Amino acid sequence: MADCLFCRIVAGEIPATIVKRSDEAIAFRDIDARAPAHVLVIPTEHVAAVRDARGAEGERLLGMLLRFAAEVATELGLDSAGYRIVTNTGKDAGQSVDHLHFHVLGGRKLTWPPG
Ligand code: AMP
């Protein structure tokens, strides 16, 4: 989508610190990191949010992204201490970019529940 920030990162039009890439997903450092490790995992195809990943293809996409996020966490060295994977959906959750993304957060003790 031409006016989507994360589609523009996928296209290389906006710079990002990419930490992992496949044909279907990329992971890059969050520009406003809330933890020592804070990476976003997104599909290369535009999907607005987790609620829009429907049916068999949505199920496959979400499974792939979650596995990809777990591999990112492993590669960031977070397995033994632990980490959090979270996705915000819609206004009340504070979703600010309408392109599906999983936050991978780690490197410090994380509080629960999130605010
Ligand atoms: P959310 O608020 O859950 O929609 O998450 C969107 C995230 O995208 C926020 O944590 C932002 O800091 C992050 N973000 C916004 N613009 C950029 C960018 N150009 N590069 C990397 N991360 C970004």
Side-chain angles (χ1 to χ4, degrees):
M1 259 177 73
D3 60 348
C4 169
L5 174 66
F6 287 175
C7 284
R8 295 188 68 197
I9 287 177
V10 171
E13 295 168 9
I14 292 176
T17 305
I18 293 174
V19 299
K20 188 173 176 70
R21 180 196 291 278
S22 74
D23 287 346
E24 291 189 302
I26 62 170
F28 53 95
R29 301 269 178 194
D30 195 296
I31 205 169
D32 183 21
R34 300 307 174 104
H38 187 176
V39 166
L40 302 174
V41 170
I42 70 169
T44 53
E45 290 293 319
H46 184 85
V47 176
V50 71
R51 66 178 166 225
D52 302 302
R54 298 177 194 274
E57 175 51 24
E59 190 175 324
R60 190 197 66 78
L61 181 75
L62 292 173
M64 179 276 295
L65 289 170
L66 200 49
R67 184 67 239 153
F68 193 91
E71 288 167 8
V72 167
T74 298
E75 289 166 21
L76 293 174
L78 300 174
D79 276 341
S80 62
Y83 56 88
R84 183 171 296 157
I85 297 173
V86 65
T87 184
N88 294 317
T89 302
K91 182 166 54 69
D92 277 2
Q95 183 178 7
S96 61
V97 180
D98 289 334
H99 183 128
L100 172 61
H101 49 283
F102 287 100
H103 297 255
V104 180
L105 295 147
R108 67 168 170 80
K109 184 84 176 161
L110 299 166
T111 56
W112 187 263

